Amino acid sequence: MALTGIGNNNSNVYEIYAAQKNEAAKDAGMKDTASAQAENTKKAGTKSVSDYYSYLQKNYDCMSGGKVTISSEYLKKCSGNLAKAKELEDFLKKIPELEKKGYEQLSAQNKALGGTVTYYQQTWMINKDGSIQSTVYSVTETGMTNAERMKKNMDERLERQKEKKEEEEKVKEKKEETTEPEISVKYVESESELEAKAMMQKERLEDAYYPKFDLNI
């Protein structure tokens, strides 16, 4: 069988090969981009709550540390709702700054009493309605007994609350006009770091989401 024109069309054959190679590379690049986009979108809008929870753990240090627990019901709402997910993630971003501010305030308060904060840990629980409960566990070294320090701290807090009553009412009104989450903070003074950690272990959110126990979502 005779082959004609091969010698005269080498350039055309090369051009066709090059075009096919470029097209294959382009397709591979598109597949890689699509794969990366798919990975990045394993968050809000996905049907899998476990995928969204994994996304949060990978992207927010406070989640991987185990100090934030989220209601299964609320997490499910966020996994399928972009607006809810944004509210949750905006709050998670604020946690480091909130903890820094909380530590500084407690340190300044105890310093005025002649004490030094030697241990500070803050936990966060996000309820099914989106409200937030935070508990501050701390240990302070001071010449006063723990009971004396707690009483003095309580007296000072009550005085500050009285002085800022009007201001708090204004803040409350503003919160009702915005989508800012409601946060309540509880302070727990411990005699030692070991005691503080033991108390944290007992802290539980009734319907907290835990992947390994998630059988129905």
Side-chain angles (χ1 to χ4, degrees):
M1 181 177 179
L3 298 177
T4 60
I6 296 298
N8 296 328
N9 294 314
N10 282 342
S11 61
N12 290 339
V13 171
Y14 175 76
E15 290 174 1
I16 292 173
Y17 169 75
Q20 290 175 336
K21 185 176 180 181
N22 289 338
E23 189 65 28
K26 182 178 179 182
D27 288 344
M30 291 176 66
K31 288 180 181 179
D32 290 341
T33 301
S35 177
Q37 290 176 339
E39 180 64 26
N40 290 335
T41 53
K42 280 186 178 180
K43 41 186 282 185
T46 180
K47 292 182 180 180
S48 171
V49 178
S50 60
D51 279 350
Y52 184 49
Y53 187 81
S54 295
Y55 163 81
L56 294 178
Q57 286 187 309
K58 291 177 182 178
N59 289 274
Y60 299 96
D61 292 339
C62 60
M63 290 294 300
S64 60
K67 60 183 177 183
V68 178
T69 51
I70 307 174
S71 156
S72 295
E73 184 177 332
Y74 185 70
L75 188 64
K76 186 175 182 180
K77 289 177 183 177
C78 293
S79 69
N81 185 301
L82 289 172
K84 285 288 185 184
K86 185 177 185 305
E87 288 179 13
L88 172 60
E89 293 181 43
D90 283 347
F91 170 68
L92 294 178
K93 290 176 186 176
K94 293 177 183 177
I95 284 181
E97 183 60 32
L98 291 173
E99 292 183 344
K100 179 182 177 183
K101 184 177 179 180
Y103 171 75
E104 291 174 348
Q105 289 178 340
L106 186 63
S107 293
Q109 176 182 314
N110 286 344
K111 185 177 181 181
L113 301 175
T116 302
V117 176
T118 58
Y119 178 80
Y120 182 96
Q121 186 62 270
Q122 196 162 357
T123 60
W124 306 86
M125 296 191 297
I126 305 176
N127 302 305
K128 61 182 180 181
D129 62 353
S131 62
I132 300 163
Q133 293 173 269
S134 179
T135 304
V136 173
Y137 296 90
S138 65
V139 177
T140 301
E141 290 184 0
T142 180
M144 301 174 69
T145 65
N146 193 44
E148 290 173 338
R149 186 174 65 253
M150 289 180 68
K151 183 180 185 304
K152 188 170 180 61
N153 286 344
M154 180 60 69
D155 290 341
E156 290 184 353
R157 285 174 191 157
L158 290 174
E159 184 62 28
R160 286 196 300 270
Q161 287 175 358
K162 182 179 179 181
E163 294 174 353
K164 296 182 179 180
K165 186 175 181 181
E166 292 183 3
E167 182 181 340
E168 290 174 352
E169 287 297 325
K170 292 179 182 179
V171 171
K172 183 178 180 181
E173 289 176 4
K174 288 182 180 179
K175 284 185 177 180
E176 291 175 351
E177 296 173 358
T178 65
T179 57
E180 286 293 317
E182 178 186 343
I183 304 176
S184 62
V185 182
K186 179 177 69 174
Y187 293 85
V188 177
E189 292 270 2
S190 302
E191 293 289 352
S192 67
E193 180 178 337
L194 185 63
E195 181 185 42
K197 289 181 177 180
M199 294 176 75
M200 274 190 287
Q201 289 296 320
K202 296 179 181 179
E203 184 180 71
R204 290 287 182 272
L205 178 62
E206 186 177 346
D207 67 333
Y209 177 83
Y210 295 105
K212 62 182 179 180
F213 297 126
D214 182 36
L215 302 176
N216 301 314
I217 298 178

